[in-house]
Every structure is written in C-alpha cells, then in structure tokens.
Amino acid sequence: MPNDSQLNNINRCASGQCISFDNVAQNYLAMMENLSEKVGYSVVYFTEYKVLDLIKEYENSVLQGKKDLKILNYGCGIGLSDFYLSKNFPDSKIFCCDISPKIVEIASKRGENLKNVSYAVCDGVKLPFDEKFDIIFLANVLRHVPQQFQVQTLQMLQNSLSDDGFIMIYEFNPYNPVAYYFYKNEHLRYDEYNVRILSAKNSVKLLKNSGFGDFSVKYRFFIPPFLKQFSDVEKYLLNCPLGANYYVVAKKKALVRGRIGICCFV
C-alpha cells in the first residue's frame, strides 16, 4: 500500500496522465463547446442545468433555508459552474479545487469577480480546505479518477461532509448513445489508466463503499434540441435509466443509521 506521498504522485499522474489536464487547459472550453454544439446545446446550457438540479436537491433537503452554506466544487475545471453557484448561493462560501494548476489558474481568473468563491489546487489525497462542507458537488469528475483511487477519493470527501450535508455526483450515462459519444470523444484518453465511464449502479456502489448512504438517483437530458418544446416532459422521466446524464445524491451513512434507528442501511 503506497504512503500518502507516493499516492499523491501516483494519483496526480494517473488522473491527468501527469500533464494532460495542464496541456488542454487553454483549449478546454473550445473543446467542450465543440462537443456540445454537435448535439445542439451550448456548454452554458449543460452547466446551468446541473446547478439548477443541485438547487432542487438543496431545497428538498434538511439544509433548506440555510443561507451561509459551505459548498465544495470538487474538480471544478476552468470554473464553468462557479458563476451559477455564486449567483444562486450568494450568501454561501464556494470552495473550488482541481488537480491541474493551470486549470485552477484559469478558473481563478474567470472567477476573480466572484467574491464568495475561492480556488486551490488539490492533490487527490487531502483537500486544500480545512472545512466541513454542507454540499459537495462533482460534475463529470469521478470518471477522471482512476478506478483504484475512486473509493479513496470519495472517502476523503465523506470525511469533509457535514452531518446534515449531502454529496451530488453528475456523470454520463453509458446506456445513452449521445452520452457515450461525448465520453468517446473527450479531450483525454484514459484506457491506459483503467478509467471508465460509470453507470449509476457503479457510482452508487462506490459511494456505498466509501461510507455514504441514503442514495437517490435521477436521470437527466432526454429531450433533443429539435424537440425542446417538449422539455417539460423530462420531470416525469427522472427514474427512466436512459437519460444522457444521471446524478446521485447521498448522505453520511452514520447519520442515516442514527435517524432511522437501525444497524445497517443500504
């Protein structure tokens, strides 16, 4: 078993092929826009959509009404989500981190006018913020972590989650052909590092093995652009496992046990 220093170096190298994330940093937005336009939507649309889903989960949680939240955007990339997080949680503190120094540099410049947002480089072993977070948000991040480190990463996040908080993980759905196209045409190739697109079942299993419980899975992005007048139908399809994306919400397992009053849950 590698020590923390060795794990740090291995995790950084495997997650980003050492320099791949840094190499694509400057062109990341253009590449994402190119992929998004091929299916008829903008990057902004997809980004805001995910944050709006996060807001719905917050409003249906025990955190509802709490204004001074601490929110972690883990794997923030170039900061696409940060504007919407800051806008919709103006009284909260938004903490953003990523494994690539160049990407964090770009994100911090993009978000320099967001007064409630802070940025830092993370190493995949220990978070750069000494906080307990109410919400931890991962938008298309977990598949970028090599399989051998996914549980360790989630355990790290679980240890930083507040007792009443929740984690929300957004990922591509491998059973949707559009999502699979996105995955196969991403800017980085991971086959060499044993990283794969994750099904909802796999994500739930990883969360369970990392100390989370009380799972909720919802599927998103069903309606293509040329049928957007029917987009309201999506709210009735949350349990249909064919959406292009899905997200999983989970809480601390220990808290779930205490409330339910049983010894084992999920």
Side-chain angles (χ1 to χ4, degrees):
M1 181 72 180
N3 60 36
D4 281 356
S5 177
Q6 293 170 324
L7 181 60
N8 178 8
N9 293 331
I10 295 170
N11 203 13
R12 284 183 58 83
C13 190
S15 292
Q17 296 183 3
C18 292
I19 59 172
S20 291
F21 278 110
D22 281 346
N23 283 345
V24 303
Q26 294 295 336
N27 298 319
Y28 182 87
L29 181 58
M31 288 186 289
M32 291 297 97
E33 286 177 339
N34 181 54
L35 277 175
S36 297
E37 287 171 1
K38 288 182 179 179
V39 296
Y41 284 117
S42 67
V43 170
V44 168
Y45 173 82
F46 285 119
T47 302
E48 186 175 18
Y49 197 112
K50 294 167 189 171
V51 174
L52 291 176
D53 279 339
L54 177 65
I55 294 168
K56 292 174 186 174
E57 293 299 327
Y58 155 71
E59 291 175 343
N60 290 321
S61 75
V62 297
L63 298 171
Q64 183 184 20
K66 183 177 180 180
K67 301 298 183 184
D68 56 338
L69 300 167
K70 292 181 180 179
I71 301 173
L72 173 64
N73 185 9
Y74 185 77
C76 65
I78 60 172
L80 296 176
S81 301
D82 304 337
F83 170 79
Y84 298 103
L85 290 170
S86 178
K87 174 185 174 182
N88 289 285
F89 297 97
D91 299 317
S92 299
K93 293 181 179 179
I94 317 296
F95 299 84
C96 305
C97 63
D98 202 285
I99 202 168
S100 163
K102 287 186 178 180
I103 279 182
V104 171
E105 180 182 358
I106 292 172
S108 60
K109 287 180 179 178
R110 288 170 55 90
E112 61 185 356
N113 294 321
L114 303 177
K115 302 304 181 184
N116 62 334
V117 179
S118 57
Y119 296 91
V121 177
C122 59
D123 60 16
V125 176
K126 183 178 179 180
L127 288 175
F129 310 110
D130 186 18
E131 303 284 351
K132 286 290 186 179
F133 299 101
D134 299 294
I135 298 173
I136 297 178
F137 182 53
L138 290 81
N140 294 316
V141 171
L142 191 56
R143 68 176 177 274
H144 291 238
V145 180
Q147 290 182 353
Q148 64 267 38
F149 300 121
Q150 287 170 344
V151 168
Q152 292 162 315
T153 297
L154 290 173
Q155 286 174 336
M156 172 187 69
L157 297 176
Q158 197 263 6
N159 290 333
S160 296
L161 186 65
S162 69
D163 286 343
D164 288 328
F166 66 86
I167 188 172
M168 180 174 178
I169 295 176
Y170 235 107
E171 281 293 337
F172 288 153
N173 180 9
Y175 303 114
N176 178 283
V178 174
Y180 197 74
Y181 169 83
F182 263 75
Y183 165 69
K184 296 299 289 185
N185 289 276
E186 274 191 306
H187 52 283
L188 296 172
R189 296 287 0 112
Y190 301 108
D191 297 345
E192 181 181 352
Y193 295 93
N194 197 30
V195 176
R196 299 289 187 272
I197 188 170
L198 294 165
S199 68
K201 181 179 180 180
N202 287 339
S203 290
V204 168
K205 182 178 180 180
L206 287 168
L207 286 163
K208 180 179 179 181
N209 291 341
S210 305
F212 291 93
D214 196 15
F215 308 105
S216 171
V217 179
K218 294 183 175 68
Y219 293 88
R220 308 298 276 145
F221 300 117
F222 291 88
I223 307 301
F226 60 87
L227 294 175
K228 62 182 178 181
Q229 64 269 31
F230 302 109
S231 58
D232 284 347
V233 174
E234 291 220 358
K235 62 186 177 184
Y236 302 108
L237 300 173
L238 295 175
N239 296 318
C240 177
L242 297 177
N245 278 221
Y246 67 86
Y247 68 82
V248 183
V249 171
K251 303 171 187 174
K252 281 198 169 184
K253 188 182 294 186
L255 179 66
V256 174
R257 288 174 178 170
R259 285 181 175 169
I260 302 300
I262 57 177
C263 295
C264 186
F265 187 80
V266 299

